[in-house]
Amino acid sequence: PPYVSTIDRIDFSNETTSAPGNNLPEVKRSHAGTSSNSYGYFGGGFAPPYVSTIDRIDFSSETTSAPGNNLPQARDGLAAVSSDSYGYFGGGNSPSYVSTVDRIDFSNETTSAPGNNLPEVRSGLAACSSSSYGYFGGGFFSPPTYNPAGNLNTVDRIDFSNETTSAPGNNLPQARQRLAATSGGTSQRIKGSRTYGYFGGGYKNSSVKNTLDRIDFFSDTTSAPG
């Protein structure tokens, strides 16, 4: 405490970090971020109260702004993925747990609810994406007491080609909440395509975890690489 609006930067060429000085327009926590080639978008969060705000950072100038088109539903604890054309914000808490998927169109920054939600309600989840699908993993659906039985290892998937959602059936090896995810690895099978998604860290049964789980984007299988 207190909540902050700070933006920190990492230079991918040398892994140095800095504070470029242009922060988010508002102070908030437990929001989610996604990006196009030109902009990064931070959506939702808790200010308090729960907010639907979308803030934007321009990658060319590192200036930040509020473009004015917010999420249809205010919530925190959500996660986000992106295709070439859209960003998708899924799940969260507002204050009841939701399965909502909201969409931002990168071409005009309008937002909408495409109508295909996650198969289950949850908050505190993480998300990563391949070229074809977005994957939402982990989270919880229990009351704020963090009932251990409420932790999830479920992986839900959104198909970028038709925006349908499904549970492919291969879940994370360990149930946990408040984890984070990233994706990468250049595939030799399809040039330029990402190979794996990684879900790291989190919280389960009153302890903080350092677990790293992996999802193979070509088979949807999950494993713990060790």
Side-chain angles (χ1 to χ4, degrees):
Y3 305 145
V4 299
S5 61
T6 311
I7 290 181
D8 296 327
R9 181 181 67 189
I10 183 168
D11 186 324
F12 290 145
S13 67
N14 58 19
E15 295 183 338
T16 57
T17 58
S18 60
N22 295 317
N23 296 328
L24 298 180
E26 66 180 337
V27 171
K28 59 181 176 178
R29 66 149 170 88
S30 300
H31 42 290
T34 189
S35 61
S36 68
N37 291 327
S38 301
Y39 300 98
Y41 299 90
F42 300 87
F46 187 75
Y50 300 100
V51 297
S52 61
T53 315
I54 291 180
D55 298 326
R56 183 182 69 187
I57 183 169
D58 186 324
F59 292 145
S60 65
S61 62
E62 295 182 336
T63 56
T64 58
S65 61
N69 295 318
N70 296 326
L71 298 178
Q73 182 181 44
R75 60 199 197 271
D76 76 345
L78 64 169
V81 295
S82 62
S83 67
D84 290 337
S85 302
Y86 300 100
Y88 299 90
F89 294 84
N93 178 40
S94 78
S96 59
Y97 303 113
V98 300
S99 61
T100 311
V101 173
D102 294 329
R103 182 182 70 187
I104 181 170
D105 186 325
F106 292 145
S107 66
N108 56 19
E109 295 183 337
T110 57
T111 58
S112 60
N116 295 317
N117 294 328
L118 300 179
E120 63 186 334
V121 300
R122 54 176 154 170
S123 181
L125 65 165
C128 61
S129 58
S130 70
S131 301
S132 302
Y133 300 99
Y135 298 86
F136 296 85
F140 65 103
F141 65 91
S142 66
T145 53
Y146 303 124
N147 174 7
N151 292 309
L152 297 168
N153 67 341
T154 315
V155 173
D156 296 330
R157 185 181 70 183
I158 182 170
D159 187 324
F160 292 146
S161 66
N162 57 19
E163 296 182 336
T164 57
T165 57
S166 61
N170 296 315
N171 297 325
L172 300 179
Q174 184 181 60
R176 58 200 194 276
Q177 58 177 280
R178 305 195 185 281
L179 63 170
T182 189
S183 59
T186 301
S187 171
Q188 300 303 312
R189 289 172 280 187
I190 302 176
K191 186 177 180 180
S193 179
R194 301 166 186 160
T195 308
Y196 298 106
Y198 298 89
F199 292 83
Y203 178 90
K204 180 186 179 184
N205 299 358
S206 302
S207 64
V208 180
K209 302 296 180 182
N210 66 345
T211 310
L212 187 67
D213 295 332
R214 183 180 68 188
I215 183 169
D216 186 319
F217 290 146
F218 289 91
S219 62
D220 285 343
T221 55
T222 58
S223 60

